[in-house]
Amino acid sequence: MRRTLTALVTSTVIAALGIVGPPAADATKPPHHPPPTPSRTPTATGHGGAVSSVDPDATAIGLEVLRRGGNAVDAAVATAAALGVTEPYSAGIGGGGYLVHYDAATGRVHTIDGRETAPAGIRPDAFIDPATGEPYPFTPELVTSGVSVGVPGTAATWQTALDRWGSLSLAQALRPAARLAEKGFVVDDTFALQTRENAERFRTFTSSSDLFLADGVPAAGSRFRNPDLARTYRKLGAKGIGWLYRGRLGAEVAHTVQQPPLSGATDLPVPPGSMTVQDLATYEALVQAPTSTGYRGYDVYGMAPSSSGGTTVGEALNILEQTDPAGTVPTLHHYLEASALAFADRGRYVGDPAFEDVPVDALLDDTFAKERACALDPDAAAAKPVPAGDVAAYDGVCADPAAPGEEAADTEGLSTTHLTTADRWGNVVAYTLTIEQTGGSGMVVPGRGFLLNNELTDFSAVYDPADPNRIEPGKRPRSSMSPTIVLRHGRPVLAVGSPGGSTIITTVLQVLVNRLDLGLSLPDAVAAPRASQRNTVDVTAEQAFIDAYGAALAPYGHPFAVAGPPGSSAAEIGAVAAIELGRHGRLTAVAEPTRRGGGAAGVVRPRLGP
Ligand code: GLU
């Protein structure tokens, strides 16, 4: 999100952080002078801690937490809460996400699965319109509903992360974001555009039109305040997350899902959901082991299922490892082909491991990758979709080519947000969070200032008992979110993630290939034009990628399709936020230079001079 920072916002951050009070020695002292506000500079180099996100206010809040003695987890929660203010259509306590943490004290990587769950009362035909017997059209009809809302996991993720690895209380971590919500932020073109694009959905609900359309679509340059969210953050901090999962706020969430606050202003069908307070009471954010993949001397850690991010990025890397590093164009060909093969297996095998026997070990096995790489012709693109491999019987030996696979439907949104933090002690966080579509379900919980997600539409739209991602009560829908931390010799060297629905996986993979294989600097690896092969006939690509590589890749036979209309947000693939950790504590925080209006990278102690 692009926004002009003002002195008011800066003072908001400072005032709020004056009372953050983390336990480090310098945390109790008021700052002598205003902390430097990160500009929209996409790259920042220095020491002492770093934050990268899509938003300058959020990055400023995260950096100030670090400056005042907080660690990477404290900064991640504070930054995420701020994104709930400035990017309310992408993230917030009405949604879920996945957090990967490198713990410098133990040298271990842990993850938190804060994915939303389906309520106990959901039925296999939840997405079928009883009036027609046909599935609801996906958008705006299905996504704008109670039936699409999963039990939110973000507040539980924050509390779990702070309990395990943080030094701030939840109240302290939420305080700067509460102040930001109260004082407001300056609306930019992206926020105005996203509001306009969602106007019909927001008008459908009294609560949402009151919050986002009170005076029409907020104009770029105006100030947007959300006092309801400020109160919600303060109360959540004071009462704890039990207020959401076992208390009054939870009852209001369930009520909103079951009886959406319809305004009568539109004809959208808004099928209600079945979520109850019991569904909220049984929700748990899960601390779980990461996926781990060795890649050309690096160890790549990611999210295990219920996200497909870790297994798909990891399998693609393992397949790539079967190829020799080559020049840019052959490497891009290998990247596209390895991605298609990994996506075939993602579709066939990955779902919520609490419900499905997900063959994570096989998917990340080098022998399996060797066999999958048999289908990677170094000179020609395979016909797509390629079939899935057989995780039950593989020996690394090439067999006769199998029959083509089937192209999978893909309705994942292109919203979401990602942030990366690192602190002076060497802890690192990569955290991706979402409410699914831009604007989620379109429903604001009345008087509480936040949108509910539509994450359940990440289940397969058509129910198939053999599909690992079919709708089931209590289940987490399969995600593509891919927060990733890369280690070398046990030390973190790179942390990266992105929004973008299923293109998240290819965006993270392409940045890794650009950096680790092609040797681009991290800023160049992030800025480079993107293409995404998700086992579809056409390769989705940014126009700039086609301009740069279309002719050179033509002999391989890759058919390209432009990602979206020029100038639209769909024309861009992903929005990366990353940090590289160099020798002697040197940090390079990197955000997008132009995509989504450009992100904000900052370090605690910027390096002086060139
Ligand atoms: N719901 C998607 C997922 O979990 C993310 C949506 C997006 O990136 O916009 O993978």
Side-chain angles (χ1 to χ4, degrees):
M1 159 175 277
R2 185 170 203 129
R3 178 169 312 115
T4 307
L5 276 176
T6 65
L8 180 60
V9 171
T10 308
S11 65
T12 300
V13 171
I14 298 159
L17 287 161
I19 47 175
V20 159
D26 60 347
T28 52
K29 294 184 195 156
H32 296 299
H33 49 77
T37 301
S39 67
R40 206 171 300 284
T41 309
T43 300
T45 305
H47 293 82
V51 179
S52 181
S53 85
V54 294
D55 179 76
D57 293 335
T59 293
I61 281 175
L63 278 178
E64 193 56 17
V65 166
L66 292 174
R67 252 182 224 117
R68 297 178 61 71
N71 65 27
V73 169
D74 302 323
V77 174
T79 304
L83 290 169
V85 177
T86 58
E87 299 254 295
Y89 306 148
S90 295
I93 59 169
Y98 297 90
L99 186 149
V100 180
H101 174 240
Y102 171 79
D103 185 349
T106 62
R108 295 184 62 189
V109 179
H110 298 97
T111 73
I112 301 176
D113 176 332
R115 185 65 157 175
E116 300 90 332
T117 53
I122 201 164
R123 296 161 48 98
D125 62 356
F127 297 163
I128 306 292
D129 182 350
T132 63
E134 298 293 323
Y136 291 104
F138 186 76
T139 187
E141 288 83 353
L142 179 59
V143 298
T144 314
S145 69
V147 80
S148 70
V149 181
V151 179
T154 290
T157 303
W158 295 349
Q159 188 63 66
T160 303
L162 291 171
D163 286 348
R164 297 244 169 182
W165 311 298
S167 69
L168 298 185
S169 68
L170 184 62
Q172 289 171 318
L174 295 183
R175 208 165 283 160
R179 291 295 296 266
L180 181 61
E182 193 170 59
K183 297 281 180 189
F185 62 87
V186 178
V187 169
D188 65 0
D189 292 339
T190 307
F191 188 83
L193 176 71
Q194 290 178 339
T195 312
R196 202 171 307 121
E197 286 173 346
N198 277 291
E200 186 197 8
R201 296 189 332 112
F202 293 160
R203 259 203 322 273
T204 303
F205 307 103
T206 50
S207 51
S208 310
S209 48
D210 286 352
L211 178 58
F212 296 123
L213 301 170
D215 303 310
V217 172
S222 65
R223 182 166 296 279
F224 185 84
R225 296 183 176 82
N226 192 340
D228 287 347
L229 183 59
R231 275 190 293 276
T232 300
Y233 275 169
R234 290 205 173 98
K235 214 159 178 173
L236 191 64
K239 288 180 171 287
I241 64 167
W243 183 48
L244 171 59
Y245 291 104
R246 290 177 301 282
R248 169 84 185 262
L249 182 59
E252 292 176 22
V253 167
H255 181 77
T256 306
V257 169
Q258 290 183 28
Q259 293 178 43
L262 295 176
S263 65
T266 75
D267 292 333
L268 292 179
V270 194
S274 62
M275 190 188 298
T276 63
V277 291
Q278 189 58 26
D279 292 315
L280 283 140
T282 49
Y283 183 83
E284 261 186 295
L286 306 172
V287 177
Q288 62 184 30
T291 58
S292 155
T293 312
Y295 184 65
R296 303 196 205 276
Y298 296 90
D299 292 300
V300 180
Y301 290 90
M303 274 314 307
S306 59
S307 180
S308 60
T311 55
T312 312
V313 169
E315 181 186 345
L317 289 174
N318 283 339
I319 295 170
L320 278 171
E321 213 172 16
Q322 305 296 321
T323 66
D324 291 327
T328 300
V329 172
T331 298
L332 289 173
H333 166 66
H334 294 158
Y335 151 68
L336 295 172
E337 293 298 278
S339 175
L341 290 161
F343 262 85
D345 296 325
R346 166 191 182 266
R348 171 72 185 79
Y349 296 114
V350 183
D352 181 349
F355 290 75
E356 306 299 322
D357 192 8
V358 185
V360 171
D361 290 346
L363 292 172
L364 293 175
D365 188 314
D366 283 330
T367 306
F368 182 66
K370 191 170 174 200
E371 192 164 309
R372 295 298 280 144
C374 298
L376 198 167
D377 182 335
D379 300 318
K384 309 292 183 315
V386 295
D390 184 354
V391 294
Y394 61 89
D395 53 14
V397 177
C398 295
D400 291 342
E406 277 179 33
E407 196 162 312
D410 183 352
T411 50
E412 280 180 41
L414 297 174
S415 175
T416 305
T417 196
H418 177 82
L419 64 101
T420 303
T421 62
D423 65 28
R424 65 179 94 158
W425 300 283
N427 302 299
V428 183
V429 172
Y431 181 25
T432 313
L433 62 163
T434 189
I435 58 171
E436 219 302 282
Q437 299 281 305
T438 302
S441 66
M443 290 194 299
V444 167
V445 180
R448 300 303 187 186
F450 66 93
L451 282 158
L452 291 172
N453 68 84
N454 67 298
E455 213 69 57
L456 301 186
T457 63
D458 273 1
F459 283 124
S460 302
V462 178
Y463 186 85
D464 171 357
D467 176 358
N469 193 36
R470 67 191 176 280
I471 294 179
E472 286 184 89
K475 190 176 184 178
R476 288 160 149 83
R478 178 176 62 216
S479 171
S480 299
M481 288 186 264
S482 308
T484 301
I485 297 181
V486 181
L487 270 55
R488 190 168 177 87
H489 306 310
R491 202 180 62 78
V493 292
L494 178 62
V496 59
S498 174
S502 54
T503 67
I504 292 171
I505 292 169
T506 58
T507 295
V508 167
L509 182 61
Q510 193 175 354
V511 169
L512 293 177
V513 167
N514 286 345
R515 180 75 191 100
L516 305 181
D517 288 350
L518 296 178
L520 299 185
S521 68
L522 185 59
D524 288 347
V526 170
R530 295 193 185 123
S532 179
Q533 172 47 280
R534 289 159 288 155
N535 202 22
T536 52
V537 171
D538 292 332
V539 178
T540 307
E542 293 175 339
Q543 185 61 52
F545 184 95
I546 298 171
D547 294 344
Y549 303 112
L553 285 166
Y556 295 87
H558 292 286
F560 289 104
V562 185
S568 74
S569 53
E572 298 170 346
I573 297 178
V576 167
I579 296 176
E580 186 156 309
L581 300 99
R583 293 163 70 87
H584 311 301
R586 182 184 161 115
L587 299 165
T588 305
V590 178
E592 293 286 353
T594 59
R595 292 183 184 95
R596 290 213 192 173
V603 292
V604 169
R605 281 187 283 117
R607 176 168 165 252
L608 300 173

